[in-house]
Amino acid sequence: MDTKELLKKVRKIEIKTRRLSDHIFGGEYHSTFKGRGMTFSEVRQYQFGDDVRNIDWNVTARYNEPYIKVFEEERELTMMLVADVSGSEFFGTDQQFKSEIVTEVAATLAFSALQNNDKIGLILFTDEIELYIPPKKGKSHVLRIIRELLEFKPKSKKTDLTQALKFLSGVMKKKAIVFVLSDFIADGYRDTMKIAAKRHDITGIRIYDKREEEIPSLGVVQMEDEETGELLLVNTTSKKVRSNYSKYYQDRVNYYKESFTRSGAGVIDVRTDESYVKKLLGYFKRRG
């Protein structure tokens, strides 16, 4: 993609997603995530009506009269976008590839955070960490994130969510709002997920294509595994082949939902031919 074409694409995504975040998501994002982080501000004398749970017993003992700790809302949050750029993301049968929806959803979330003057960072992963952009504020930083999502060429095509979550826990020592964008056709990350969710406010956004859910009966078909590049001849008329594939796919989806919800994380499912706007809004409203 040449620079001119890339800038045109970035601009197109900016116009579309910024409009969404300005008019729809800004307020929802604010009410969902603001006020979750409280930071200690000062100690002052107890006044009638103060919450007794905030009494500072050490200071109270020293002065022989009650003092309370005053907390204030942390105004600044950090959003981390953790996006899967493995081979399976470049699948799409209707209007858009999954990777294109990932970019649009990530851009909408980033502009919503920008509106609230929050920092935004990006992790692109396959079975390794392909790119890390540390959290920063500002429109030019958000545009750089969109640019990377659009044109980044990963070294690997495989997926390992465990590596991404471990890396996240390593670089983000303070609590962050984390959105993991993937098709979650993976497993083996449940324990790492539990550890990461203890510190961070995590939401998984599963982006999938309806044609992935089952194999149609089309005779003997040559298929390529997007993540390994392996070519296979598959007899799609076989009921066993079709049911084995459906089971494999559904098992991964169930694993994702259970791993996230049991860790206290949120889940959103977005199909490539559906409106992600409704899905995100519904999620924010439920949580807000």
Side-chain angles (χ1 to χ4, degrees):
M1 200 186 299
D2 64 29
T3 315
K4 199 175 172 186
E5 194 189 333
L6 176 66
L7 289 172
K8 214 161 105 181
K9 275 200 158 186
V10 171
R11 183 75 186 128
K12 197 176 165 187
I13 283 178
E14 183 196 354
I15 290 164
K16 180 176 179 178
T17 58
R18 191 149 198 181
R19 196 170 60 235
L20 288 173
S21 63
D22 284 355
H23 298 301
I24 305 171
F25 291 113
E28 293 297 339
Y29 167 85
H30 184 276
S31 59
T32 303
F33 297 110
K34 286 293 173 186
R36 290 179 181 268
M38 300 300 282
T39 184
F40 172 69
S41 172
E42 60 176 341
V43 174
R44 63 160 170 78
Q45 274 186 299
Y46 177 84
Q47 293 166 5
F48 179 75
D50 284 337
D51 190 336
V52 292
R53 289 172 299 183
N54 292 334
I55 289 176
D56 186 323
W57 295 106
N58 292 330
V59 179
T60 297
R62 196 178 309 148
Y63 292 105
N64 270 333
E65 56 181 316
Y67 275 78
I68 69 155
K69 290 176 181 173
V70 179
F71 295 88
E72 61 182 30
E73 189 182 311
E74 270 184 24
R75 289 280 152 209
E76 189 182 282
L77 294 169
T78 298
M79 178 192 282
M80 283 303 299
L81 298 167
V82 182
D84 179 353
V85 288
S86 65
S88 63
E89 292 305 311
F90 293 91
F91 180 92
T93 51
D94 284 334
Q95 279 81 41
Q96 287 179 298
F97 286 139
K98 289 186 284 185
S99 56
E100 292 174 299
I101 303 289
V102 166
T103 302
E104 285 193 21
V105 171
T108 304
L109 293 167
F111 279 121
S112 298
L114 178 68
Q115 248 191 311
N116 288 286
N117 201 30
D118 293 337
K119 291 179 183 170
I120 304 116
L122 177 71
I123 295 169
L124 297 182
F125 74 94
T126 50
D127 58 344
E128 56 187 272
I129 301 306
E130 297 274 355
L131 178 72
Y132 170 54
I133 300 178
K136 265 175 72 176
K137 293 181 185 185
K139 183 185 162 184
S140 60
H141 181 68
V142 170
L143 293 178
R144 185 198 164 191
I145 284 172
I146 295 171
R147 210 161 57 234
E148 292 293 359
L149 282 161
L150 278 171
E151 71 159 357
F152 189 81
K153 300 281 183 285
K155 292 195 282 287
S156 172
K157 284 187 169 186
K158 297 177 182 176
T159 313
D160 186 351
L161 192 53
T162 304
Q163 293 302 322
L165 293 168
K166 275 183 182 169
F167 183 81
L168 171 75
S169 296
V171 292
M172 298 302 296
K173 299 299 179 193
K174 281 187 168 181
K175 183 179 179 178
I177 309 297
V178 180
F179 290 96
V180 184
L181 300 107
S182 173
D183 53 17
F184 295 99
I185 303 173
D187 54 18
Y189 54 83
R190 187 169 287 161
D191 292 342
T192 326
M193 179 65 208
K194 267 184 200 158
I195 294 163
K198 273 180 185 158
R199 182 184 298 161
H200 303 298
D201 186 333
I202 302 181
T203 300
I205 304 180
R206 183 174 77 97
I207 293 165
Y208 69 103
D209 191 294
K210 63 183 176 187
R211 306 282 165 88
E212 290 175 300
E213 296 178 290
E214 51 190 42
I215 298 175
S217 178
L218 297 168
V220 177
V221 177
Q222 188 180 58
M223 292 186 177
E224 182 183 355
D225 186 317
E226 278 290 357
E227 299 206 354
T228 63
E230 192 183 353
L231 290 170
L232 302 163
L233 280 174
V234 179
N235 180 9
T236 63
T237 57
S238 160
K239 277 185 182 170
K240 193 179 176 189
V241 166
R242 293 205 308 274
S243 71
N244 282 351
Y245 173 81
S246 293
K247 185 181 181 308
Y248 168 83
Y249 183 85
Q250 204 48 54
D251 284 350
R252 296 298 172 283
V253 173
N254 294 341
Y255 183 88
Y256 146 71
K257 289 188 175 171
E258 280 173 26
S259 300
F260 272 69
T261 50
R262 282 183 186 174
S263 304
V267 291
I268 307 172
D269 282 354
V270 176
R271 213 167 71 185
T272 52
D273 60 334
E274 291 178 334
S275 162
Y276 62 81
V277 177
K278 283 180 188 165
K279 294 293 179 85
L280 289 176
L281 260 183
Y283 176 73
F284 283 172
K285 283 199 161 83
R286 282 196 305 276
R287 281 196 49 164

